[in-house]
Each structure stands twice: as structure tokens, then as C-alpha cells.
Amino acid sequence: MSIMVIAKATFGEAWRKKILNIFLLVAIALIAFSVSFAFFSEREEMIIIKSMGLGVIAIAGMFIAVVMGINLIPSEIDKRTIYTILSKPVKRHEFLLGKFVGGVLTLLVNLSLMTIVFMAMVAWKMGWHVEWALLKGILMIFFQVFLLTSLAILFSVFTTPVVNFFLTSAMYIIGSLSSVTLSLSRLPEKALIVRWFFAFLHYVVPNFANFFTQNPLIHPEVVIKNELTYYVENILYAIVYASVVLIIAILLFERREV
């Protein structure tokens, strides 16, 4: 019960942050702007609209997740409201999970608003034919930012917001380059310690590249062998990885003096 109360308060607080609302409005404006590419052929135009829409939603979701996530715990400490909350019969793990659930709900609503505009723009350009397959790409973006939010929560337990911003952003960039880190870890001409370093990055940092589905959706000739398995595996990966990250965050938060 405490988790949902804290989640509801976090959700309401997030919607009062001007910077998050600006991210959302700019993203929606860019998605709407994408339909202005009328000087290309019909196929090129649709590829640009879809790729730009999915790209804008992914980038906006990532920025909202990071900017919101890095402030969830420190803002409560700075305002000293955390002392009031923890003085009540609220467990520390309930407080942290409530913050996470509130953050995820905020992301879900933000992504939903962007998705409505994106799907409407695509449907309009296709003669009001709704391309439901694009929702699979949005689903992967949601679980990508879901995972990213858990990392921002973890780092917010023991770092400042500025350090957290760079740490979380670095994890996202490295995780998006997982194919590169895997290749570097297998190059025989590299020193053993270098290969171990890149292997460590590849297997420890979340593989955010797994959630990039834009190419198959925009280019139908790119085929995923077993689509259901692909989506189920990635969703389970995000849930399990985020659960482990949150358990570590709870253990650290239990030991932190506030």
C-alpha cells in the first residue's frame, strides 16, 4: 500500500517538473514535424516518418528516464521530506520501490502521449491505415527506459545527480554498443587484459541494443526469425535485470544514513 502511495506522489511530482514537460512537448512537435518531408518519394517519406518518430520517442524516453531518475532520491533528501516519510511506518524498500513505480508510470504516460501522435501521423500519411506493428517498437522502447530507470535509481542511492547523469548516460551508450564491445573482446591481436575489459563491459552493462527494433519495422525485408521469442526474451531480460539492480539499490539504501 505504501508503495502505491509513494508512486502516486512521485507521479504527480514528475508532472510538475517543467523540464520533463518541455522534453515531452518538443518530442511531440518533432514527431508532428516529420510529416513535412513531402519532397521524397512515397516509400522514402514513410521510412523517414517512421524512423524519425521511433527515434524521437526513444531519445525523449531516454532523457526523461535519466533526468527524472537521477533526482528521485536526492530531491527528497534535499527537501528533507525523506525524514518525514521514513519516520512513518514506511520501510526503506517500500520508499525506493514506490519511487521506481512512480517513475515508470510517468514514463508510460509520456510514451503513450508520444505514441498517440506518432500513430496518428503515420495513419494520416497512409490514408488512415493504422500500422499496429509499430507498437512493437514502442513496447521495446518502454522496456529499454524501464531498465534505464532502474539504473538511475541505483546510482541515485550513492551519487550526486550530476555524477549519476554521466554514469547512467555512459551505461546507456556502452550498452547500445554491445556488438562493438563483444567484437573487441574477441580480437586475438588485443592484449588479454583488454579483451577481459571489453568482455566485462559486454556482459555486465545491460544490452540496450537488444531493444532497437526500428530496422525490421521500417525495412520489412529485415526479418526476425522467431518474433515472439525475440520480444518475450527481451522483455524478460529487462524485468530480470531491473529486478537485480533494484535489489542491489535496496541493499545499499538500507545501509545508507539519511
Side-chain angles (χ1 to χ4, degrees), residues 72-117:
L72 285 177
I73 305 297
S75 65
E76 297 288 353
I77 296 174
D78 289 343
K79 291 185 292 185
R80 308 183 78 81
T81 50
I82 192 170
Y83 303 107
T84 305
I85 296 171
L86 294 181
S87 65
K88 296 177 179 178
V90 177
K91 305 288 186 187
R92 288 194 175 209
H93 72 272
E94 293 175 334
F95 173 78
L96 196 140
L97 290 176
K99 284 290 182 185
F100 176 72
V101 173
V104 170
L105 285 175
T106 305
L107 282 166
L108 183 62
V109 173
N110 275 273
L111 290 180
S112 298
L113 292 173
M114 287 186 276
T115 300
I116 290 170
V117 176

Short mmCIF file of all heavy atoms in Angstrom, two decimals, residues 72-117:
data_model
loop_
_atom_site.label_atom_id
_atom_site.label_comp_id
_atom_site.label_asym_id
_atom_site.label_seq_id
_atom_site.Cartn_x
_atom_site.Cartn_y
_atom_site.Cartn_z
N LEU A 72 15.14 11.34 -8.23
CA LEU A 72 14.07 10.75 -7.42
C LEU A 72 14.43 10.67 -5.93
O LEU A 72 13.61 11.01 -5.08
CB LEU A 72 13.72 9.36 -7.96
CG LEU A 72 12.91 9.34 -9.27
CD1 LEU A 72 12.68 7.91 -9.74
CD2 LEU A 72 11.58 10.06 -9.10
N ILE A 73 15.64 10.22 -5.62
CA ILE A 73 16.05 10.10 -4.21
C ILE A 73 16.67 11.40 -3.70
O ILE A 73 16.27 11.91 -2.65
CB ILE A 73 17.03 8.92 -4.02
CG1 ILE A 73 16.42 7.62 -4.58
CG2 ILE A 73 17.39 8.77 -2.55
CD1 ILE A 73 15.18 7.16 -3.89
N PRO A 74 17.67 12.01 -4.43
CA PRO A 74 18.30 13.24 -3.92
C PRO A 74 17.33 14.37 -3.65
O PRO A 74 17.52 15.15 -2.71
CB PRO A 74 19.30 13.59 -5.04
CG PRO A 74 19.61 12.30 -5.69
CD PRO A 74 18.32 11.52 -5.66
N SER A 75 16.28 14.51 -4.49
CA SER A 75 15.35 15.63 -4.27
C SER A 75 14.62 15.48 -2.95
O SER A 75 14.34 16.47 -2.26
CB SER A 75 14.34 15.70 -5.42
OG SER A 75 13.51 14.54 -5.44
N GLU A 76 14.32 14.24 -2.55
CA GLU A 76 13.65 14.01 -1.26
C GLU A 76 14.59 14.32 -0.10
O GLU A 76 14.15 14.79 0.95
CB GLU A 76 13.18 12.55 -1.17
CG GLU A 76 12.15 12.15 -2.21
CD GLU A 76 10.78 12.76 -1.95
OE1 GLU A 76 10.59 13.40 -0.90
OE2 GLU A 76 9.89 12.61 -2.83
N ILE A 77 15.91 14.06 -0.30
CA ILE A 77 16.88 14.35 0.75
C ILE A 77 17.09 15.86 0.87
O ILE A 77 17.13 16.42 1.97
CB ILE A 77 18.21 13.63 0.46
CG1 ILE A 77 18.00 12.10 0.50
CG2 ILE A 77 19.30 14.05 1.46
CD1 ILE A 77 19.20 11.29 0.10
N ASP A 78 17.21 16.53 -0.30
CA ASP A 78 17.42 17.99 -0.28
C ASP A 78 16.25 18.71 0.37
O ASP A 78 16.43 19.68 1.11
CB ASP A 78 17.61 18.49 -1.72
CG ASP A 78 18.94 18.05 -2.31
OD1 ASP A 78 19.82 17.65 -1.52
OD2 ASP A 78 19.08 18.09 -3.55
N LYS A 79 15.03 18.25 0.07
CA LYS A 79 13.84 18.90 0.65
C LYS A 79 13.54 18.40 2.06
O LYS A 79 12.61 18.87 2.69
CB LYS A 79 12.63 18.65 -0.26
CG LYS A 79 12.70 19.37 -1.60
CD LYS A 79 11.44 19.21 -2.41
CE LYS A 79 11.25 17.80 -2.88
NZ LYS A 79 10.10 17.61 -3.77
N ARG A 80 14.34 17.39 2.48
CA ARG A 80 14.23 16.80 3.82
C ARG A 80 12.87 16.12 4.05
O ARG A 80 12.50 15.81 5.18
CB ARG A 80 14.48 17.85 4.92
CG ARG A 80 15.77 18.62 4.73
CD ARG A 80 16.05 19.61 5.85
NE ARG A 80 16.56 18.92 7.03
CZ ARG A 80 17.82 18.55 7.18
NH1 ARG A 80 18.70 18.78 6.23
NH2 ARG A 80 18.21 17.93 8.27
N THR A 81 12.14 15.88 2.98
CA THR A 81 10.85 15.17 3.11
C THR A 81 11.06 13.68 3.39
O THR A 81 10.16 13.02 3.91
CB THR A 81 10.02 15.33 1.83
OG1 THR A 81 10.83 14.99 0.70
CG2 THR A 81 9.50 16.73 1.66
N ILE A 82 12.26 13.19 3.04
CA ILE A 82 12.54 11.77 3.27
C ILE A 82 12.49 11.42 4.76
O ILE A 82 12.10 10.32 5.14
CB ILE A 82 13.90 11.37 2.64
CG1 ILE A 82 14.03 9.84 2.61
CG2 ILE A 82 15.07 12.01 3.38
CD1 ILE A 82 15.20 9.35 1.82
N TYR A 83 12.90 12.40 5.60
CA TYR A 83 12.90 12.15 7.05
C TYR A 83 11.46 11.99 7.57
O TYR A 83 11.19 11.16 8.43
CB TYR A 83 13.61 13.29 7.78
CG TYR A 83 15.02 13.51 7.30
CD1 TYR A 83 15.35 14.61 6.51
CD2 TYR A 83 16.03 12.60 7.61
CE1 TYR A 83 16.64 14.81 6.05
CE2 TYR A 83 17.33 12.78 7.15
CZ TYR A 83 17.62 13.89 6.37
OH TYR A 83 18.90 14.06 5.92
N THR A 84 10.57 12.80 7.01
CA THR A 84 9.15 12.72 7.42
C THR A 84 8.56 11.38 6.97
O THR A 84 7.83 10.72 7.73
CB THR A 84 8.36 13.88 6.78
OG1 THR A 84 8.99 15.11 7.12
CG2 THR A 84 6.92 13.87 7.28
N ILE A 85 8.89 11.00 5.74
CA ILE A 85 8.32 9.76 5.19
C ILE A 85 8.83 8.55 5.96
O ILE A 85 8.05 7.67 6.36
CB ILE A 85 8.68 9.63 3.69
CG1 ILE A 85 8.04 10.76 2.89
CG2 ILE A 85 8.23 8.27 3.14
CD1 ILE A 85 8.51 10.85 1.46
N LEU A 86 10.16 8.50 6.20
CA LEU A 86 10.74 7.32 6.86
C LEU A 86 10.44 7.28 8.35
O LEU A 86 10.63 6.25 9.00
CB LEU A 86 12.26 7.28 6.62
CG LEU A 86 12.68 7.07 5.16
CD1 LEU A 86 14.20 7.02 5.04
CD2 LEU A 86 12.08 5.78 4.59
N SER A 87 9.98 8.43 8.91
CA SER A 87 9.60 8.41 10.33
C SER A 87 8.23 7.75 10.53
O SER A 87 7.84 7.41 11.64
CB SER A 87 9.55 9.85 10.88
OG SER A 87 8.52 10.59 10.24
N LYS A 88 7.50 7.59 9.41
CA LYS A 88 6.21 6.92 9.45
C LYS A 88 6.43 5.42 9.23
O LYS A 88 7.54 4.99 8.89
CB LYS A 88 5.29 7.50 8.37
CG LYS A 88 4.99 8.99 8.62
CD LYS A 88 4.13 9.57 7.51
CE LYS A 88 3.83 11.04 7.80
NZ LYS A 88 3.05 11.68 6.74
N PRO A 89 5.41 4.61 9.41
CA PRO A 89 5.60 3.16 9.19
C PRO A 89 5.79 2.81 7.71
O PRO A 89 4.99 2.10 7.10
CB PRO A 89 4.32 2.54 9.77
CG PRO A 89 3.32 3.62 9.73
CD PRO A 89 4.05 4.90 9.93
N VAL A 90 6.86 3.36 7.13
CA VAL A 90 7.20 3.07 5.73
C VAL A 90 8.59 2.47 5.69
O VAL A 90 9.56 3.08 6.19
CB VAL A 90 7.17 4.37 4.88
CG1 VAL A 90 7.62 4.07 3.44
CG2 VAL A 90 5.79 4.99 4.90
N LYS A 91 8.71 1.26 5.16
CA LYS A 91 10.01 0.60 5.05
C LYS A 91 10.83 1.28 3.96
O LYS A 91 10.28 1.84 3.00
CB LYS A 91 9.84 -0.88 4.70
CG LYS A 91 8.95 -1.65 5.66
CD LYS A 91 9.61 -1.87 6.99
CE LYS A 91 8.74 -2.77 7.87
NZ LYS A 91 9.28 -2.88 9.24
N ARG A 92 12.15 1.18 4.09
CA ARG A 92 13.01 1.82 3.09
C ARG A 92 12.81 1.20 1.70
O ARG A 92 12.84 1.90 0.69
CB ARG A 92 14.47 1.71 3.52
CG ARG A 92 14.81 2.61 4.68
CD ARG A 92 16.31 2.73 4.86
NE ARG A 92 16.62 3.69 5.91
CZ ARG A 92 17.73 4.42 5.95
NH1 ARG A 92 18.62 4.28 4.99
NH2 ARG A 92 17.96 5.27 6.92
N HIS A 93 12.62 -0.12 1.66
CA HIS A 93 12.45 -0.76 0.35
C HIS A 93 11.11 -0.34 -0.27
O HIS A 93 11.00 -0.23 -1.49
CB HIS A 93 12.55 -2.28 0.46
CG HIS A 93 11.38 -2.95 1.12
ND1 HIS A 93 11.31 -3.12 2.49
CD2 HIS A 93 10.23 -3.45 0.63
CE1 HIS A 93 10.18 -3.72 2.79
NE2 HIS A 93 9.49 -3.93 1.67
N GLU A 94 10.10 -0.06 0.58
CA GLU A 94 8.83 0.42 0.05
C GLU A 94 8.99 1.82 -0.54
O GLU A 94 8.41 2.13 -1.59
CB GLU A 94 7.78 0.44 1.17
CG GLU A 94 7.39 -0.94 1.67
CD GLU A 94 6.45 -0.88 2.86
OE1 GLU A 94 6.47 0.13 3.60
OE2 GLU A 94 5.69 -1.83 3.05
N PHE A 95 9.77 2.66 0.14
CA PHE A 95 10.03 4.01 -0.37
C PHE A 95 10.72 3.95 -1.72
O PHE A 95 10.30 4.61 -2.69
CB PHE A 95 10.89 4.78 0.64
CG PHE A 95 11.34 6.12 0.16
CD1 PHE A 95 10.49 7.21 0.16
CD2 PHE A 95 12.63 6.29 -0.32
CE1 PHE A 95 10.91 8.44 -0.29
CE2 PHE A 95 13.06 7.53 -0.78
CZ PHE A 95 12.20 8.61 -0.76
N LEU A 96 11.77 3.13 -1.82
CA LEU A 96 12.54 3.07 -3.06
C LEU A 96 11.71 2.46 -4.20
O LEU A 96 11.72 2.97 -5.33
CB LEU A 96 13.82 2.26 -2.83
CG LEU A 96 14.89 2.42 -3.92
CD1 LEU A 96 16.27 2.49 -3.30
CD2 LEU A 96 14.83 1.26 -4.89
N LEU A 97 10.97 1.38 -3.89
CA LEU A 97 10.14 0.77 -4.93
C LEU A 97 9.00 1.70 -5.36
O LEU A 97 8.62 1.74 -6.53
CB LEU A 97 9.57 -0.57 -4.43
CG LEU A 97 10.59 -1.70 -4.27
CD1 LEU A 97 9.93 -2.94 -3.68
CD2 LEU A 97 11.22 -2.04 -5.63
N GLY A 98 8.46 2.47 -4.40
CA GLY A 98 7.43 3.43 -4.74
C GLY A 98 7.95 4.50 -5.69
O GLY A 98 7.27 4.90 -6.64
N LYS A 99 9.18 4.94 -5.46
CA LYS A 99 9.80 5.91 -6.35
C LYS A 99 9.96 5.33 -7.74
O LYS A 99 9.72 5.99 -8.76
CB LYS A 99 11.17 6.33 -5.78
CG LYS A 99 11.09 7.28 -4.61
CD LYS A 99 10.60 8.61 -5.11
CE LYS A 99 10.52 9.67 -4.07
NZ LYS A 99 9.93 10.90 -4.59
N PHE A 100 10.41 4.06 -7.80
CA PHE A 100 10.62 3.41 -9.10
C PHE A 100 9.28 3.25 -9.84
O PHE A 100 9.19 3.57 -11.04
CB PHE A 100 11.27 2.04 -8.89
CG PHE A 100 11.44 1.25 -10.15
CD1 PHE A 100 12.39 1.62 -11.10
CD2 PHE A 100 10.65 0.13 -10.41
CE1 PHE A 100 12.54 0.89 -12.28
CE2 PHE A 100 10.79 -0.59 -11.58
CZ PHE A 100 11.74 -0.21 -12.52
N VAL A 101 8.27 2.76 -9.16
CA VAL A 101 6.96 2.55 -9.80
C VAL A 101 6.39 3.89 -10.29
O VAL A 101 5.86 3.99 -11.41
CB VAL A 101 5.98 1.87 -8.81
CG1 VAL A 101 4.58 1.81 -9.42
CG2 VAL A 101 6.46 0.46 -8.48
N GLY A 102 6.53 4.95 -9.48
CA GLY A 102 6.05 6.27 -9.89
C GLY A 102 6.80 6.77 -11.13
O GLY A 102 6.19 7.35 -12.04
N GLY A 103 8.11 6.53 -11.16
CA GLY A 103 8.90 6.93 -12.32
C GLY A 103 8.49 6.18 -13.57
O GLY A 103 8.37 6.76 -14.65
N VAL A 104 8.27 4.87 -13.43
CA VAL A 104 7.87 4.05 -14.59
C VAL A 104 6.48 4.46 -15.09
O VAL A 104 6.24 4.52 -16.30
CB VAL A 104 7.89 2.55 -14.20
CG1 VAL A 104 7.24 1.70 -15.30
CG2 VAL A 104 9.32 2.08 -13.98
N LEU A 105 5.57 4.77 -14.17
CA LEU A 105 4.24 5.24 -14.57
C LEU A 105 4.33 6.54 -15.36
O LEU A 105 3.63 6.74 -16.36
CB LEU A 105 3.34 5.43 -13.35
CG LEU A 105 2.80 4.16 -12.69
CD1 LEU A 105 2.03 4.50 -11.42
CD2 LEU A 105 1.88 3.42 -13.66
N THR A 106 5.21 7.44 -14.90
CA THR A 106 5.41 8.71 -15.61
C THR A 106 5.91 8.46 -17.02
O THR A 106 5.44 9.06 -17.99
CB THR A 106 6.42 9.58 -14.84
OG1 THR A 106 5.98 9.75 -13.50
CG2 THR A 106 6.59 10.94 -15.49
N LEU A 107 6.88 7.56 -17.14
CA LEU A 107 7.41 7.22 -18.47
C LEU A 107 6.33 6.60 -19.35
O LEU A 107 6.25 6.90 -20.54
CB LEU A 107 8.58 6.24 -18.32
CG LEU A 107 9.90 6.87 -17.89
CD1 LEU A 107 10.88 5.78 -17.45
CD2 LEU A 107 10.50 7.68 -19.03
N LEU A 108 5.52 5.73 -18.75
CA LEU A 108 4.47 5.06 -19.52
C LEU A 108 3.49 6.07 -20.10
O LEU A 108 3.12 5.99 -21.28
CB LEU A 108 3.74 4.06 -18.61
CG LEU A 108 2.65 3.22 -19.27
CD1 LEU A 108 3.23 2.34 -20.37
CD2 LEU A 108 1.94 2.35 -18.24
N VAL A 109 3.10 7.06 -19.30
CA VAL A 109 2.15 8.07 -19.79
C VAL A 109 2.82 8.95 -20.85
O VAL A 109 2.21 9.28 -21.88
CB VAL A 109 1.64 8.92 -18.61
CG1 VAL A 109 0.78 10.07 -19.11
CG2 VAL A 109 0.83 8.05 -17.65
N ASN A 110 4.09 9.34 -20.61
CA ASN A 110 4.80 10.16 -21.60
C ASN A 110 4.92 9.43 -22.94
O ASN A 110 4.66 10.01 -24.00
CB ASN A 110 6.19 10.51 -21.08
CG ASN A 110 6.20 11.74 -20.19
OD1 ASN A 110 6.30 12.86 -20.68
ND2 ASN A 110 6.05 11.55 -18.89
N LEU A 111 5.33 8.16 -22.89
CA LEU A 111 5.47 7.38 -24.12
C LEU A 111 4.12 7.20 -24.81
O LEU A 111 4.03 7.20 -26.04
CB LEU A 111 6.10 6.01 -23.82
CG LEU A 111 7.58 6.02 -23.41
CD1 LEU A 111 8.05 4.59 -23.14
CD2 LEU A 111 8.45 6.64 -24.48
N SER A 112 3.07 7.03 -24.00
CA SER A 112 1.72 6.84 -24.58
C SER A 112 1.27 8.09 -25.34
O SER A 112 0.72 7.98 -26.44
CB SER A 112 0.71 6.52 -23.47
OG SER A 112 1.04 5.32 -22.83
N LEU A 113 1.54 9.27 -24.77
CA LEU A 113 1.16 10.52 -25.45
C LEU A 113 1.92 10.68 -26.77
O LEU A 113 1.34 11.05 -27.80
CB LEU A 113 1.42 11.71 -24.53
CG LEU A 113 0.52 11.80 -23.29
CD1 LEU A 113 0.98 12.92 -22.37
CD2 LEU A 113 -0.93 12.01 -23.69
N MET A 114 3.23 10.38 -26.74
CA MET A 114 4.03 10.48 -27.96
C MET A 114 3.56 9.44 -28.99
O MET A 114 3.52 9.71 -30.19
CB MET A 114 5.52 10.28 -27.64
CG MET A 114 6.14 11.46 -26.92
SD MET A 114 7.93 11.28 -26.71
CE MET A 114 8.00 10.29 -25.22
N THR A 115 3.19 8.26 -28.50
CA THR A 115 2.75 7.18 -29.40
C THR A 115 1.45 7.56 -30.10
O THR A 115 1.28 7.29 -31.30
CB THR A 115 2.55 5.88 -28.60
OG1 THR A 115 3.79 5.51 -28.00
CG2 THR A 115 2.08 4.75 -29.50
N ILE A 116 0.54 8.17 -29.38
CA ILE A 116 -0.75 8.57 -29.98
C ILE A 116 -0.51 9.52 -31.15
O ILE A 116 -1.06 9.35 -32.25
CB ILE A 116 -1.65 9.22 -28.91
CG1 ILE A 116 -2.12 8.16 -27.90
CG2 ILE A 116 -2.86 9.90 -29.57
CD1 ILE A 116 -2.81 8.73 -26.69
N VAL A 117 0.37 10.52 -30.94
CA VAL A 117 0.67 11.48 -32.01
C VAL A 117 1.37 10.77 -33.17
O VAL A 117 1.04 10.97 -34.35
CB VAL A 117 1.54 12.63 -31.46
CG1 VAL A 117 1.94 13.59 -32.59
CG2 VAL A 117 0.80 13.38 -30.37
#
